[in-house]
Amino acid sequence: MKRTGPIGNLFAAGLLAAAILAPHRAPAQTTRAEADKDPVLKAMLEELNRSMAHLQLPGFEKPYFIEYRIEDIDDYETRAAYGATEGSQHSHARIARISVRVGDYKTDNSGPRGDGALQLTSIDDDPIALRSALWTGTDQAYKAALAAYAQKQAELKQVQTPPQADDFSKAKPILSLAEPLKLSLDESAWTDRVARDSGIYRSDPAVRAVQRDVQYSTAAFHARVITTWIVSSEGAIVRKSASSYSETFGVGTQADDGMRLDRSYGTSGIALSDLDSPDEFKKHVVALISSLSDLRKAPLVEEEYHGPVLLSADASADTLHALLAAGVSATRPKLGTEARTNGPFASSYHARIMPEFLTVIDDPALKTWDGKDLVGAYSVDDEAVPAQTVKLVADGHLENYLIGRTPVRDFPESNGHARAGVTGPPHPVIGVMKVTAQQGLSDEELNRKLIQLGKDRGLKSVYFVETLGAEATPRLLYRIDMEGKRTLVRGAVLDDLDQRALRAGVEAAGKNLWVANYASDIPETVLAPALLFDDVTVKRANETNDKLPYYPPPD
């Protein structure tokens, strides 16, 4: 469905790879009197009290829980290509999400897709406008809750196995008020800078020689500030604020055989001062464009290889994010089953899922590492529960799951990991997932071990992955002979890099951690060491190579 207007701009901006949100500031006030001074909170609390007092259709259940969440999103984006701007957009909107539960904590109307209603609301702090939007949404959410509750009661009569946990857990109400942030920047200056950066391939003398090989060159700048207000009928009152700023660059070409080759770079942070200076950004862009020449000349990877592969800490972070992060997040299983949760580790509680020398902790309170801001850090989740540090994997064994207020078997209470994208329902998501190894090896030691494994198996070469793209596709892949000589190769995909390999195939890990901040609607961070796998399949990608352009680009 096509979206237009402020909401459409908002969703479009949310897809930008740079949409990383910074953790909100520490609470600035802690009294109810201070909460009442906030016109948004005051309106929310007044309408919440009115709804709890009066909302009940005759002969039907009265709500036992109502929660209001309003998000104020101030968003700016500018994009450019080939040295010229493609346009900019600045949107500002407020969206309310209203959740209504009928029944009780043990059994209510909730389902796996999230519950409630959405309403676009006033950005002007007008109390009647704010309350009217909440009133309309509450009415819709209540009627939907009654229908869902009746349907669930009917479904429960059709299954033999009772639910393994309550539908909703109780939580101590908190009062947490952070100062709202403001979006303030020179939009025209950023429009000019992004346009200039997208044309570096044809303006900088260092790369002008490869100008005619470049098929696309794009740049973008994205800035966003979100302030979130949450109130609930249990007494929770939360205001938090988050900001993100980023500039990204992408460039691509084709090899002589038609294979597409792409490189990208981005700089991001919680403030404009965290971004690269213009000169620093230009340096990275020039290096990226220059690397395309090496990739165009690089030989194709061999048809198929089975053996040891070393992933850099950068590539390992992407792998662990894909294989581990979602699996350790506990979600409600299908009604009528005995499952604890869903996903690859649904039945792995207390089982070994990694080598015994690896430990995994999710620590949302960890805000920096090695001088870098960690965008996955936060203090209070989107169900108004304080974030907790959770030891997920101890000595290779899964000992905990991340969970919100939807309990699962053996995990009856939230550990503060229910997080929501803009307008979305909260669900368990990692914050800052840190993976560490006992007696981790240096990069030099890992390389020596990689080559020794190849010699022990009589191989002529082994592989090192420096960076990964989507779907385990190496962006920079090196073939290493038994003397240690590296050769850049292209056109490969990795196979057999799955949960089984994570459990039984990791030979060693590094001691230094890479900071991977993930640009998603819900910001996440992974701190990971390099990983040496004993048996991974590297094979040639089965892709159609497009024909080269029939004539050169314009001068």
Side-chain angles (χ1 to χ4, degrees), residues 84-394:
T85 183
E86 292 183 328
S88 305
Q89 58 183 15
H90 190 160
S91 63
H92 185 194
R94 276 184 186 166
I95 302 173
R97 184 175 184 89
I98 300 97
S99 298
V100 175
R101 291 175 179 261
V102 296
D104 54 32
Y105 286 92
K106 183 174 181 59
T107 305
D108 64 19
N109 56 284
S110 58
R113 294 183 299 175
D115 310 282
L118 296 176
Q119 286 289 322
L120 190 65
T121 188
S122 167
I123 62 174
D124 296 326
D125 293 350
D126 182 277
I128 297 301
L130 289 168
R131 291 181 60 183
S132 296
L134 295 171
W135 166 68
T136 301
T138 304
D139 182 70
Q140 294 174 357
Y142 176 55
K143 292 171 181 175
L146 289 175
Y149 186 58
Q151 182 178 351
K152 179 181 278 189
Q153 293 289 346
E155 291 174 351
L156 285 169
K157 295 176 181 178
Q158 303 299 316
V159 296
Q160 182 66 34
T161 303
Q164 302 297 296
D166 292 348
D167 278 350
F168 199 47
S169 63
K170 295 182 179 181
K172 182 179 179 180
I174 66 167
L175 175 59
S176 175
L177 302 178
E179 286 295 324
L181 302 174
K182 299 293 183 183
L183 183 62
S184 178
L185 50 88
D186 188 336
E187 295 182 8
S188 62
W190 276 104
T191 298
D192 293 342
R193 172 172 165 174
V194 167
R196 184 171 60 251
D197 289 342
S198 72
I200 287 175
Y201 77 100
R202 61 188 178 93
S203 64
D204 192 277
V207 292
R208 197 174 294 154
V210 299
Q211 172 183 344
R212 296 171 70 84
D213 294 329
V214 173
Q215 294 186 359
Y216 74 85
S217 178
T218 63
F221 170 76
H222 182 224
R224 174 184 282 185
V225 170
I226 297 180
T227 297
T228 303
W229 296 268
I230 303 172
V231 299
S232 79
S233 56
E234 293 175 329
I237 302 174
V238 172
R239 182 180 63 208
K240 55 184 181 175
S241 203
S243 61
S244 68
Y245 299 87
S246 64
E247 185 180 12
T248 57
F249 175 81
V251 65
T253 186
Q254 284 179 274
D256 289 341
D257 59 8
M259 179 175 290
R260 295 200 173 276
L261 305 169
D262 306 284
R263 297 300 313 277
S264 61
Y265 174 74
T267 174
S268 61
I270 66 175
L272 285 171
S273 58
D274 293 331
L275 304 187
D276 287 354
S277 68
D279 289 341
E280 289 172 329
F281 193 82
K282 182 178 180 180
K283 181 179 178 181
H284 285 289
V285 168
V286 168
L288 216 65
I289 297 170
S290 299
S291 72
L292 290 178
S293 293
D294 294 333
L295 280 169
R296 293 184 78 250
K297 299 172 186 175
L300 283 171
V301 69
E302 59 190 295
E303 207 161 330
E304 188 162 301
Y305 161 90
H306 302 277
V309 171
L310 175 60
L311 303 184
S312 71
D314 181 356
S316 293
D318 290 340
T319 301
L320 291 166
H321 183 254
L323 298 181
L324 194 61
V328 296
S329 299
T331 56
R332 177 183 296 164
K334 186 177 179 181
L335 195 65
T337 69
E338 295 184 355
R340 177 178 288 105
T341 179
N342 301 292
F345 304 127
S347 59
S348 301
Y349 185 39
H350 292 319
R352 188 172 68 82
I353 64 169
M354 303 177 78
E356 293 183 350
F357 56 80
L358 290 179
T359 296
V360 182
I361 295 174
D362 193 85
D363 185 5
L366 188 60
K367 300 187 185 306
T368 62
W369 184 268
D370 196 24
K372 297 180 181 179
D373 288 321
L374 308 182
V375 300
Y378 64 97
S379 300
V380 179
D381 75 2
D382 290 309
E383 290 180 331
V385 177
Q388 299 176 25
T389 299
V390 179
K391 178 170 279 191
L392 296 164
V393 179

Side-chain angles (χ1 to χ4, degrees), residues 215 254 257-258 260 544-550:
Q215 294 186 359
Q254 284 179 274
D257 59 8
R260 295 200 173 276
T544 301
N545 292 335
D546 296 329
K547 283 186 173 293
L548 296 169
Y550 288 109

Side-chain angles (χ1 to χ4, degrees), residues 382-411:
D382 290 309
E383 290 180 331
V385 177
Q388 299 176 25
T389 299
V390 179
K391 178 170 279 191
L392 296 164
V393 179
D395 300 327
H397 292 73
L398 181 65
E399 299 298 342
N400 270 300
Y401 294 93
L402 303 179
I403 192 166
R405 293 187 65 181
T406 301
V408 299
R409 179 159 52 93
D410 300 317
F411 295 87

